[in-house]
Amino acid sequence: MYWSDAMEAIEWAIFSAPDDADSINLSYGGSPGSGDTPMARFLDSVVDGEYAPIAVSAGNNGPSGTTVSEPGVAYNIMSVAASDDKNDWDPFTDTLASFSSRGPTGDGRSKPDITAPGYDIMSTNAFWEGANPDLVSMSGTSMAAPHIAGAYLLLLPYGIWRPMEMKARLINSALKMTGAWATWDAGWGWGYARLIDAKYQTASFTDSLSGDGDYDFYTGTVAQYDRASLVWNRHATYQGPHYPWNYYALSDVDLHLYDYSGTWWAGSAGVVDNVEQVNSPFSGPAVVKVYAWDLTSRPNIGEYEEYAFAAPSGFVKAQPPNLQVSLSIPSPVTTGSQFTVYE
């Protein structure tokens, strides 16, 4: 397949299909170990400009590191690794498929994002004509990525339609297969997709920051090892089925975890990824701060960044106190004289 064909197909799916696409899957890849490529920027522009969630296969070049294929290296999509689910219902017996590409990307970013079943998956047969079977069992990250494309669709009935919120919710609810304290892993990504927790155990929000130093607070109760996740977009301007001409540096947005006494417990302040995650070392009431460290200025918008935040169920956005001061002063005072102001 040519990249131009992929771009034309995505353009058709969004703008020309009788029922426009709510989710896009791309089980195809190019060079392993890529960094920021033109095709990756195209997918970033589709997610950022057209609000279309995209799942992309991470590649089948494992178990060596730095083997994620383009365009699974794109910032805004979900890059999907593959597991061997052992053909049973217990996720804790599952293993990472040996062929699944490992991160990081060629430019040092945290891909893949998430893992889904990709070993001996029964699906439709592209070569079904004649006496060939309609269904076929295959293995690969190409079989894993559609699980996440389907997960996007399952979130829609609950009012979760922004791609960054879908991504934050799926990442925050994923199983940590490499230990409770784990954050991102070169093989599993941010974890193993677990849709029941995405639905019942996760709260998610979208909001925005208006300039460097701006911040929002979220409050709730955490158990030890609970996580909070933050996602925002790398911005690129959609130009139809073409590589985008305008794409921008990534804003730097950080996460910080506090208890109610104001004690700082954990933070995530990377500078190359558009995902941040904190893991709670304590149990009890908590405050999570979303902080704009360095927002990228864009033409006609300036410093402004939309984001999605996900945390355990029960979290809410905190409203800061509304402080008011009532002052009582004497009647007009002679210039240069002293007087007292009463609060």
Side-chain angles (χ1 to χ4, degrees):
M1 184 177 70
Y2 296 105
W3 290 132
S4 58
D5 291 338
M7 290 188 284
E8 289 280 2
I10 290 173
E11 166 84 0
W12 176 87
I14 296 174
F15 295 105
S16 299
D19 183 8
D20 61 295
D22 295 316
S23 174
I24 295 173
N25 182 81
L26 184 60
S27 286
Y28 188 79
S31 302
S34 299
D36 187 18
T37 69
M39 187 59 188
R41 294 168 196 153
F42 170 78
L43 294 189
D44 283 342
S45 74
V46 173
V47 177
D48 186 46
E50 304 306 322
Y51 292 94
I54 303 177
V56 183
S57 53
N60 303 323
N61 302 289
S64 298
T66 318
T67 54
V68 177
S69 299
E70 69 162 328
V73 296
Y75 286 81
N76 300 340
I77 57 94
M78 290 197 80
S79 179
V80 188
S83 73
D84 178 354
D85 65 5
K86 308 299 183 184
N87 200 31
D88 63 29
W89 292 97
D90 184 358
F92 295 101
T93 65
D94 298 2
T95 58
L96 189 67
S98 61
F99 57 76
S100 188
S101 288
R102 271 67 164 175
T105 64
D107 53 0
R109 291 180 290 111
S110 300
K111 295 285 178 173
D113 292 295
I114 201 165
T115 302
Y119 189 84
D120 279 349
I121 304 300
M122 186 68 72
S123 187
T124 51
N125 185 7
F127 307 102
W128 58 270
E129 293 91 339
N132 294 327
D134 292 338
L135 301 176
V136 63
S137 178
M138 296 186 70
S139 299
T141 57
S142 289
M143 309 305 285
H147 287 77
I148 301 303
Y152 292 149
L153 299 176
L154 293 175
L155 291 173
L156 286 174
Y158 300 96
I160 302 166
W161 58 270
R162 294 176 178 83
M164 67 174 71
E165 186 177 7
M166 292 177 169
K167 185 174 180 177
R169 199 173 182 102
L170 290 171
I171 283 173
N172 203 71
S173 57
L175 284 175
K176 295 296 189 182
M177 301 297 285
T178 53
W181 287 111
T183 52
W184 179 80
D185 178 75
W188 292 94
W190 296 100
Y192 195 13
R194 187 165 174 82
L195 301 190
I196 191 171
D197 286 349
K199 178 180 178 181
Y200 292 110
Q201 304 296 329
T202 308
S204 57
F205 310 83
T206 57
D207 215 309
S208 61
L209 301 168
S210 59
D212 292 354
D214 195 13
Y215 55 86
D216 287 326
F217 289 115
Y218 293 86
T219 60
T221 301
V222 296
Q224 191 179 38
Y225 311 124
D226 275 350
R227 305 182 300 275
S229 300
L230 175 70
V231 174
W232 66 102
N233 281 344
R234 189 279 275 281
H235 301 293
T237 304
Y238 184 71
Q239 313 256 185
H242 311 285
Y243 299 138
W245 303 328
N246 299 317
Y247 52 92
Y248 303 93
L250 187 68
S251 291
D252 184 0
V253 189
D254 299 332
L255 271 185
H256 296 281
L257 173 69
Y258 304 85
D259 63 25
Y260 264 34
S261 72
T263 300
W264 182 92
W265 284 88
S268 179
V271 295
V272 297
D273 291 306
N274 58 329
V275 176
E276 302 282 3
Q277 189 175 91
V278 291
N279 192 323
S280 178
F282 71 93
S283 298
V287 178
V288 181
K289 181 180 182 181
V290 178
Y291 181 73
W293 178 260
D294 184 11
L295 301 190
T296 299
S297 294
R298 288 168 281 149
N300 304 319
I301 297 177
E303 289 187 349
Y304 175 82
E305 195 64 66
E306 292 181 311
Y307 68 84
F309 173 80
S313 295
F315 263 73
V316 297
K317 186 176 181 182
Q319 298 301 321
N322 184 15
L323 300 178
Q324 294 181 337
V325 178
S326 178
L327 300 178
S328 176
I329 61 175
S331 55
V333 180
T334 304
T335 301
S337 64
Q338 295 183 355
F339 65 92
T340 302
V341 176
Y342 295 94
E343 180 180 348

